[in-house]
Amino acid sequence: MPPLRYLLWLAPYLGVALGFAFPDCVNGPLKSNAVCNRTQDAATRAQALIALFTDDELMANTVNFSPGVSRLGLPGYQWWSEALHGLSTSPGTGVVFTPSGNFSSATSFPEPITLGSAFDDSLIKAVGDVISTEARAFNNFGMAGLDFFTPNINLFRDPRWGRGQETPGEDPFHISQYVLNLVDGLQGGIDPTPYFKIVADCKHYAAYDIENWEGNDRTSFNAVVTNQDLSEYYLPSFQSCVRDAKVGSIMCSYNSVNGIPSCANSYLLQTILRDFWGFNDDRWVTSDCDAVDNIFSTHHFTSTYAQAVADALKAGTDIDCGNTYAEHLPEAFNQSLITRADLEKALIRQYTSLVRLGYFDPPDVQPYRQLDWSDVNSPNAQQLAYQAAVEGIVLLKNDGTLPLDTSIKKLALIGPFANATTQMQGNYQGIAPFLISPLQGAMNAGYQATFVAGTTISDTSTAGFAAAVAAAQSADAVIFAGGIDGTV
């Protein structure tokens, strides 16, 4: 296990490489700029910084892995980290786990569909608090960002979507209460001062619940939605996230809504989000990854990439998760499709948010900057993960079988989930400190347990049936653990 003092030494170098280093407001080039002046308000500080950027530097820093400005001592920053139900290792994101020892794991909570099934708002807030505590600990050692693209609050309208496990359920009111409490826990309060704990990101805005179904692909799909369905079904969870929980960021989705790609949709991003719900200029909008590219490439909404990036930026998409802004904003700028003021607006929103996260302030005045490995995988966090799993399990029917009679000693555990570990974590998962399969759980409970898969998730072979039947016949009780997973 690497000693903590070694990680303390290594953290600045990891942070620079991964986009999680902090600017030097004591000895660096920015020390005399207002961005380093803690007596100024966040917007004034951000404006002072962005005024120093050249046009090219503005355009280069509109993507999720912003390169920073080396001549100003402003390090690069990775805006994309994930934490759907604990810190996540999803491809492309910033969270890094070490091979062993310190920062090799983080608390793994059940998927949101299970968390939502607990119907326990205080539990959800506590889960958010644990996740953000561990996120800050990882960030302090250069292994995660301060902004997390979570939660997914699209409604689970149709089980054929395939991503229902990422969402709290299908009911607009329930999800509105869920996101209010989760964001409260994640961000360290409702619009907290002096510092946000982390910035959460409510996604995917809006009317998004299809991946690839019968020729309809998420990157080109046009969701035709009435105003009534928008206001009563698709938008209440986002309204709660923005208006009530005061979330720090929003992600616009791949699809179009009524003919206009979400990330170029000023009705969604300006009229509703900012004008009506009060999403102000210390908060930012990111695209889903490559959704800005899709405005041109799959939606065919514009005839050029230059027009696509101009439409997205002017509609209110401040960050492109991808490279389309960096590649094509110079064309749009040279064609006068955008102005320096448009670019500054997006960057000021981003860096105002970072000011509110304490990005430019001394660590010794920030309690969140003191968190370390001892604050990850704590006994309280592990107990909370267990509580969430217990409360979220739904018993559909019991004919007297449960709880199992004390006379039952031998169990046959049958099915493709009966000995599952990482499979049970679902998607957007991290590395858990430990995982207990149903088989191991039965053994820990003192049963004589036998495991036979019998079948897999999706094949039609009956080759394993005989062994499963034999195991069942020799047992006092049979537990079948099956279902689908993300491979289907």
Side-chain angles (χ1 to χ4, degrees):
M1 177 182 294
L4 193 58
R5 64 179 181 275
Y6 173 75
L7 286 174
L8 281 167
W9 174 83
L10 189 61
Y13 302 97
L14 284 172
V16 169
L18 300 171
F20 306 132
F22 290 87
D24 183 357
C25 273
V26 177
N27 300 307
L30 290 172
K31 64 182 180 181
S32 300
N33 185 270
V35 76
C36 290
N37 185 346
R38 293 167 52 209
T39 67
Q40 299 288 328
D41 66 88
T44 298
R45 294 172 68 180
Q47 289 163 5
L49 171 66
I50 299 309
L52 301 178
F53 282 39
T54 66
D55 295 342
D56 288 340
E57 288 165 347
L58 287 171
M59 289 184 277
N61 282 279
T62 54
V63 293
N64 66 285
F65 202 154
S66 299
V69 181
S70 59
R71 67 181 179 86
L72 299 177
L74 184 68
Y77 185 74
Q78 172 61 275
W79 294 89
W80 181 13
S81 293
E82 295 278 3
L84 180 68
H85 52 112
L87 298 184
S88 166
T89 58
S90 296
T93 68
V95 180
V96 175
F97 291 87
T98 61
S100 62
N102 296 337
F103 299 101
S104 59
S105 62
T107 305
S108 182
F109 291 96
E111 283 268 24
I113 194 65
T114 302
L115 292 173
S117 297
F119 290 92
D120 185 341
D121 291 342
S122 62
L123 170 76
I124 301 308
K125 180 178 176 180
V127 167
D129 183 49
V130 167
I131 292 173
S132 57
T133 293
E134 298 190 355
R136 272 289 189 158
F138 269 68
N139 173 260
N140 288 338
F141 288 81
M143 296 179 185
L146 293 166
D147 305 277
F148 289 80
F149 290 4
T150 193
N152 180 343
I153 54 170
N154 298 122
L155 282 79
F156 193 10
R157 181 179 61 86
D158 189 320
R160 291 170 294 184
W161 177 19
R163 293 179 67 179
Q165 69 271 26
E166 295 178 36
T167 78
E170 75 283 357
D171 181 73
F173 177 77
H174 175 49
I175 297 184
S176 296
Q177 297 307 300
Y178 174 99
V179 71
L180 171 61
N181 286 276
L182 183 65
V183 170
D184 187 355
L186 288 171
Q187 295 191 159
I190 304 296
D191 209 23
T193 57
Y195 300 113
F196 273 65
K197 196 175 182 184
I198 64 171
V199 163
D201 177 83
C202 286
K203 62 185 186 184
H204 311 81
Y205 181 66
Y208 175 77
D209 54 17
I210 190 171
E211 300 302 301
N212 190 349
W213 180 70
E214 293 193 352
N216 296 287
D217 185 84
R218 63 181 183 172
T219 64
S220 58
F221 177 67
N222 178 34
V224 179
V225 188
T226 66
N227 283 335
Q228 181 175 357
D229 283 346
L230 272 176
S231 63
E232 294 180 359
Y233 187 76
Y234 290 103
L235 296 188
S237 58
F238 288 95
Q239 176 176 276
S240 176
C241 179
V242 173
R243 185 194 65 187
D244 304 330
K246 307 295 184 185
V247 75
S249 66
I250 286 287
M251 178 185 289
C252 52
S253 57
Y254 287 117
N255 58 289
S256 289
V257 177
N258 296 329
I260 303 174
S262 295
C263 294
N265 196 320
S266 60
Y267 177 67
L268 292 177
L269 300 182
Q270 184 63 47
T271 305
I272 295 177
L273 182 65
R274 294 192 182 274
D275 298 344
F276 187 56
W277 291 341
F279 191 75
N280 59 31
D281 283 341
D282 59 358
R283 298 152 214 274
W284 43 271
V285 174
T286 179
S287 73
D288 205 339
C289 295
D290 290 326
V292 171
D293 179 280
N294 298 147
I295 294 169
F296 169 77
S297 63
T298 58
H299 287 288
H300 308 299
F301 184 70
T302 63
S303 59
T304 65
Y305 269 114
Q307 188 65 60
V309 296
D311 285 357
L313 184 70
K314 292 172 80 70
T317 300
D318 304 303
I319 297 173
D320 168 24
C321 184
N323 295 308
T324 308
Y325 268 0
E327 293 172 0
H328 298 286
L329 280 175
E331 302 167 35
F333 187 76
N334 291 335
Q335 295 173 32
S336 299
L337 298 174
I338 59 169
T339 65
R340 179 180 173 91
D342 296 323
L343 295 164
E344 286 184 337
K345 181 187 291 186
L347 270 292
I348 289 169
R349 287 169 176 169
Q350 296 174 36
Y351 280 91
T352 303
S353 175
L354 283 177
V355 170
R356 296 197 65 185
L357 282 159
Y359 186 64
F360 295 92
D361 293 356
D364 57 0
V365 302
Q366 302 183 58
Y368 298 140
R369 292 290 298 275
Q370 313 311 312
L371 297 171
D372 60 25
W373 174 242
S374 66
D375 299 293
V376 180
N377 298 329
S378 69
N380 287 340
Q382 293 180 14
Q383 177 58 36
L384 187 66
Y386 175 79
Q387 178 187 346
V390 170
E391 290 191 23
I393 292 172
V394 177
L395 180 64
L396 297 179
K397 180 181 180 181
N398 185 18
D399 57 6
T401 302
L402 298 176
L404 293 176
D405 191 273
T406 55
S407 64
I408 293 175
K409 306 296 182 184
K410 297 172 64 178
L411 293 179
L413 280 86
I414 297 171
F417 271 88
N419 196 29
T421 51
T422 55
Q423 184 183 27
M424 293 193 300
Q425 289 184 278
N427 63 348
Y428 285 91
Q429 78 282 14
I431 298 176
F434 58 88
L435 293 166
I436 300 173
S437 69
L439 174 63
Q440 186 63 52
M443 295 169 64
N444 291 349
Y447 291 102
Q448 301 173 41
T450 300
F451 162 64
V452 178
T455 186
T456 64
I457 292 290
S458 58
D459 74 27
T460 58
S461 172
T462 61
F465 284 16
V469 170
Q473 290 174 337
S474 63
D476 299 327
V478 177
I479 296 176
F480 179 80
I484 62 173
D485 63 13
T487 64
V488 177

